[in-house]
Structures are given as C-alpha cells and as structure tokens.
Amino acid sequence: MILSRKWANDYVDLTDIDNKTFCDEMTLSGSKVEGYEVEGSAIENVVVGQVLSMEKHPDSDHLWVCQVSVGDDQPLQIVTGAQNLKPMDIVPVALVGATVINRKDHKLEKIKKGKLRGMISEGMICSGEELHVPTELYPNIEEKGILVFQEDYPLGADVKPILGIDDTAVDFEILAN
C-alpha cells in the first residue's frame, strides 16, 4: 500500500518528522515500511513564469523567441519550439542550472544558457513530461506540449507544490493478518 505523507499530514501533524524517522517509527509500530520515494526530488530550479511576448525566430519556421518574466527585474529570452503558447500564458520555466527530465531518454538534464540557431536562450519552458508530472493529474499534457497553467500563480514561485510533485510516497507491506 502506498501512503502520501501530505495526505497523512492532513490527519496527524508530521511536519517535524523526517522521512527516515517516520518510516522507522512506522515499522516499529508493526506497519512494515518497504521503502519511500520523494516525488519530484530530481526536479530543481523550475519556477512559474509568464510569456510576455513571442516572435518568430528569424532563422526557423517552427521556433519562437519569447520574453518570459519570472518575477525578476529583467525578462528572460527563451527560444522554444512549442506551438501551444501565446502571450500572457503562465508556464513552468526551468532556469539556467535547473534539472529536468529529458523527453527523449528520460534521464536528468541540466539546463544551460545557450544559442538556438544564433539566438540566446536563457532557460526552457517546460512540458509536463519534462517535470515528471503524473498524466492522471493533467490528462491532456502529452497532446498539448507545454504545460500552461489555468490559474494565476506568483511569478518565480517553485512549481513543485503547484503541480503536486513535492510529496513523499511511503510503501507499506500488506500483511495477511
């Protein structure tokens, strides 16, 4: 059986108990814990951003050069191939130095400042797959590409609590008796 620590915290205050102590104490109480997984632990430095403007890339017929605000004084310039974006969309943005999941090989990828067809890109606008968001939470993610939030969130806020990927899943052994 898998237990969400966030869900359990709604009934018992577990905020001051780390994962290892919780699992050890549960095992000592007779509920054997087989292990736990910290969801979203691989995702780092991904924040809420807003697409301010989009222009066609001068050297590409499918790329866009976007100005994206993440709450700082200056917007970031991000080059993307996403076709489901429009100005004023609220989106997850991986900043330079962020860690996301590579869509092709599903391994961790570190985001770097670089150039795409001669244009500087200072981050990446993310899809649900790159953030390892469970598709049952957002069933249309794979079709649409980039994850576009339907609600307003503070620019620069960490996306993990917003997407529900900041929980710990504890796996309990189910005993016959």
Side-chain angles (χ1 to χ4, degrees), residues 75-94:
L76 302 174
Q77 178 171 290
I78 298 177
V79 179
T80 182
Q83 302 301 309
N84 67 311
L85 289 178
K86 63 186 181 315
M88 306 317 290
D89 278 346
I90 306 290
V91 294
V93 176

Side-chain angles (χ1 to χ4, degrees), residues 127-172:
S127 70
E129 186 177 7
E130 290 156 338
L131 300 177
H132 208 260
V133 175
T135 54
E136 59 271 7
L137 295 179
Y138 297 91
N140 297 326
I141 283 177
E142 300 308 317
E143 300 170 19
K144 290 185 163 187
I146 296 299
L147 178 57
V148 178
F149 294 123
Q150 300 304 311
E151 299 86 19
D152 285 335
Y153 295 108
L155 299 182
D158 186 359
V159 300
K160 290 197 288 189
I162 293 167
L163 295 172
I165 55 173
D166 65 335
D167 196 2
T168 299
V170 181
D171 189 5
F172 287 93

Side-chain angles (χ1 to χ4, degrees), residues 32-143:
K32 180 164 177 10
V33 174
E34 297 210 0
Y36 67 91
E37 177 185 353
V38 179
E39 299 169 354
S41 62
I43 307 300
E44 295 177 5
N45 211 15
V46 180
V47 300
V48 174
Q50 183 173 34
V51 178
L52 301 176
S53 67
M54 298 175 64
E55 296 178 13
K56 288 298 258 177
H57 192 294
D59 293 331
S60 172
D61 54 352
H62 76 281
L63 292 177
W64 293 92
V65 180
C66 301
Q67 298 300 312
V68 180
S69 174
V70 292
D72 295 337
D73 292 337
Q74 296 294 321
L76 302 174
Q77 178 171 290
I78 298 177
V79 179
T80 182
Q83 302 301 309
N84 67 311
L85 289 178
K86 63 186 181 315
M88 306 317 290
D89 278 346
I90 306 290
V91 294
V93 176
L95 304 173
V96 171
T99 305
V100 297
I101 309 294
N102 185 300
R103 290 171 67 167
K104 293 178 184 159
D105 61 12
H106 300 283
K107 293 183 180 177
L108 293 180
E109 178 180 1
K110 196 87 150 167
I111 302 301
K112 301 174 188 147
K113 182 177 179 176
K115 288 186 176 183
L116 287 168
R117 295 205 181 171
M119 298 296 284
I120 292 177
S121 187
E122 302 171 298
M124 181 174 86
I125 302 171
C126 300
S127 70
E129 186 177 7
E130 290 156 338
L131 300 177
H132 208 260
V133 175
T135 54
E136 59 271 7
L137 295 179
Y138 297 91
N140 297 326
I141 283 177
E142 300 308 317
E143 300 170 19

